[in-house]
Amino acid sequence: MPKKSSHGKSKYVSRTPDENGLIPYSRNENEIWHDLITRQIPMLQGRACKPWINAMHEMNFPKDRIPQLKDVSAVLMEHTGWSVAGVDALIPFTEFFGLLASKRFPVATFIRTREDFDYIQEPDVFHEVFGHTPPLTDHRFAAFVEAYGKAGLAADPKDHAMLARLFWFTVEFGLVNTDEGIRAYGSGIMSSPGELVYAVESDKPERLPFDPVEALRTPYRIDILQPVYFVIDSFDELFELAQSDLLGHIKEARRLGMHEPKFPPKPA
Ligand SMILES: [Fe+2]
């Protein structure tokens, strides 16, 4: 999404499936997946929300190799009719919105190198598959992402950056209230051990009750731990948001104007 703008270049190149729809990953690449997933799963307990953890078990990701897209799609299809589509590391907004509107989640198919093991700015297959696909088995979450894609297609291109903020503060970095306390559901948190602990446990970030217009008005930086998170009460809230007038929320956010950033400007 924001990371998937048409601007900028990535050092990574997505992998193309063979004639059977399979991507032949190397042993080294599969080992990187193994090391990422086996580090992250024990971190989820007490930090990821239960529906997310249950959904991850439902996805049944292999640990010893990078999952193939058609296997991921088969599980999603069974639950909500979604699938994943292999794409380049960076795709234009219109392609991104179009895929979501047709219930296909774009997935960059390369995996990070060892050099980028702890942090990668681009979305790699670990972020995309492990971080993003589990909640797409939930019909409420899935309905929101589909409605978001449709709103993106209908929106004026000048509002794409505004819409990117809504995605950022929900799908990428969303938190949720539970009986046990704040828990995470956003993919950017789930695929990062550092941000998972920080987002849920640190007293540094602000955690605001989710409000779509406020999320649209709040700037973010992709390369730092987030100073602000928005907290929903359950996926029901995202489902209700899917039925609401997303373009109307954008209009209201434009009328009210942007909030001041709570972070220093990105170094040049
Ligand atoms: Fe993402």
Side-chain angles (χ1 to χ4, degrees):
M1 162 86 262
K3 307 167 299 190
K4 291 171 192 284
S5 78
S6 53
H7 310 294
K9 290 233 178 335
S10 171
K11 72 171 179 176
Y12 290 101
V13 178
S14 263
R15 305 287 297 276
T16 309
D18 65 17
E19 64 277 10
N20 302 313
L22 300 174
I23 298 173
Y25 290 107
S26 71
R27 182 172 164 183
N28 180 45
E29 288 170 316
N30 284 326
E31 281 174 1
I32 291 173
W33 169 273
H34 168 271
D35 293 353
L36 286 165
I37 195 168
T38 53
R39 174 175 69 166
Q40 197 69 352
I41 286 176
M43 307 277 300
L44 300 173
Q45 205 57 45
R47 299 188 182 99
C49 66
K50 280 193 184 133
W52 198 98
I53 294 178
N54 293 340
M56 186 204 61
H57 289 309
E58 205 66 44
M59 295 306 299
N60 199 21
F61 298 128
K63 301 219 175 41
D64 58 340
R65 60 177 176 82
I66 298 171
Q68 293 293 335
L69 297 188
K70 62 181 191 179
D71 297 332
V72 175
S73 290
V75 183
L76 294 180
M77 193 58 74
E78 197 186 309
H79 285 82
T80 52
W82 273 71
S83 61
V84 286
V87 297
D88 288 339
L90 303 162
I91 61 172
F93 275 119
T94 43
E95 185 181 347
F96 180 70
F97 292 135
L99 285 165
L100 299 183
S102 56
K103 300 172 71 165
R104 286 179 294 160
F105 199 88
V107 167
T109 51
F110 65 87
I111 195 154
R112 68 193 70 183
T113 60
R114 287 272 172 204
E115 277 169 19
D116 294 332
F117 190 77
D118 288 324
Y119 175 75
I120 177 176
Q121 194 160 310
E122 296 96 327
D124 76 339
V125 71
F126 182 69
H127 167 78
E128 306 275 44
V129 170
F130 182 84
H132 274 293
T133 64
L136 286 169
T137 59
D138 185 294
H139 77 277
R140 300 164 297 176
F141 184 94
F144 167 64
V145 182
E146 182 184 354
Y148 176 87
K150 288 178 175 160
L153 289 180
D156 188 305
K158 77 175 171 19
D159 289 328
H160 286 173
M162 184 81 89
L163 267 172
R165 291 193 276 276
L166 181 60
F167 194 85
W168 186 263
F169 288 114
T170 54
V171 175
E172 295 284 356
F173 286 92
L175 296 176
V176 55
N177 276 316
T178 74
D179 292 342
E180 288 95 38
I182 298 265
R183 295 290 183 266
Y185 70 90
S187 58
I189 304 176
M190 277 336 158
S191 57
S192 159
E195 187 129 4
L196 181 57
V197 174
Y198 168 86
V200 177
E201 295 170 10
S202 169
D203 56 11
K204 283 199 187 127
E206 272 187 78
R207 299 180 185 85
L208 306 174
F210 177 72
D211 177 291
V213 175
E214 286 301 295
L216 289 164
R217 299 175 64 204
T218 303
Y220 64 82
R221 251 177 72 180
I222 69 170
D223 59 337
I224 53 172
L225 292 169
Q226 301 303 304
V228 179
Y229 297 95
F230 285 94
V231 188
I232 58 171
D233 283 327
S234 79
F235 283 165
D236 291 345
E237 201 169 341
L238 295 182
F239 187 68
E240 283 162 26
L241 185 59
Q243 329 299 318
S244 73
D245 178 11
L246 292 174
L247 298 181
H249 295 323
I250 290 178
K251 219 170 153 188
E252 179 64 0
R254 282 227 170 272
R255 191 182 69 75
L256 294 167
M258 287 294 289
H259 287 300
E260 283 300 313
K262 290 178 176 164
F263 48 76
K266 196 172 176 177

